């Protein structure tokens, strides 16, 4: 007996017999997921700032000019800028200024740096349980980086395009997503439950069950009331 030969009538009977369990499993999963996400998992807030790294040289007449070749070279150095931004030099300055208790490694895990392909515009984000602290960390990182980069790489400077915002809503956990996943898992559990009952039922219900056991049907005994 396998899932391919599952009889619709038998399956419907199993569903009818266990209907309350089949309703309860998704409901319990949804309630648990919602409660845990809402009341037990600490919400985290993400604050972001946008910075631009520009290259300049002195042209004739004393005017600062950005050359396409040098800009293209700096695009190839994007990973270097990323590394400097999350270096111990930058992180220690941020920790000392804000008196953070995290180590450099712990602070680095909170920082996310994104940049578009072939672009020197970076978005620096920090995720923290305190929204105000997340904004302070981002602002301090970008300010420190703006100060240090020209000293580390000649003719480069940082322009802060967007200062860090104060997040008003938590970015994680996602209550809606977690609840939806729990509902899907509850429905999968229902399918497994029905399939298991069907596959492991150990009693004969009709002639087809006898045929599957290679037994012949001789006759039936009517129900005597």
């Amino acid at each position: 007996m396998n899932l391919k030969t599952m009889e619709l009538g038998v399956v419907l009977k199993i569903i009818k017999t266990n209907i309350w369990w089949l309703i309860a499993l998704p409901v319990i999963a949804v309630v648990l997921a919602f409660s845990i996400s809402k009341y037990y998992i600490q919400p985290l807030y993400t604050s972001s700032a946008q910075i631009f790294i520009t290259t300049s040289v002195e042209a004739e007449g004393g005017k600062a000019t950005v050359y396409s070749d040098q800009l293209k070279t700096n695009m190839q150095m994007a990973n270097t800028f990323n590394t400097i931004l999350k270096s111990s030099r930058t992180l220690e300055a941020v920790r000392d200024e804000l008196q953070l208790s995290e180590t450099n490694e712990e602070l680095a895990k909170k920082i996310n740096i994104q940049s578009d392909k072939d672009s020197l515009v970076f978005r620096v984000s920090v995720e923290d349980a305190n929204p105000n602290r997340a904004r302070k960390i981002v602002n301090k990182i970008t300010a420190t980086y703006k100060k240090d980069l020209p000293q580390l790489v000649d003719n480069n400077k940082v322009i802060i395009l967007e200062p860090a915002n104060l997040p008003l809503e938590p970015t994680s956990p996602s209550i809606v997503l977690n609840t939806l996943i729990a509902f899907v898992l509850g429905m999968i559990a229902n399918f497994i439950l029905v399939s298991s009952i069907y596959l492991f039922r150990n009693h004969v219900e009709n002639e087809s069950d006898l045929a599957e056991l290679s037994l012949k049907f001789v006759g039936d005994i009517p129900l005597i009331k």
Side-chain angles (χ1 to χ4, degrees), residues 160-195:
I160 299 177
L161 299 179
E162 294 180 8
N165 62 307
L166 178 64
L168 301 178
E169 297 291 336
T171 53
S172 68
S174 175
I175 298 177
V176 175
L177 179 60
N178 290 350
T179 303
L180 180 60
I181 292 175
F183 176 77
V184 173
L185 292 177
M187 297 304 296
I188 293 174
N190 280 347
F191 176 78
I192 295 174
L193 176 63
V194 173
S195 300

Side-chain angles (χ1 to χ4, degrees), residues 109-127:
K109 290 179 180 178
K110 294 184 176 183
I111 302 171
N112 182 39
I113 303 171
Q114 296 177 327
S115 63
D116 296 330
K117 184 179 179 181
D118 298 333
S119 172
L120 289 179
V121 177
F122 293 82
R123 180 166 291 277
V124 183
S125 303
V126 169
E127 191 176 56

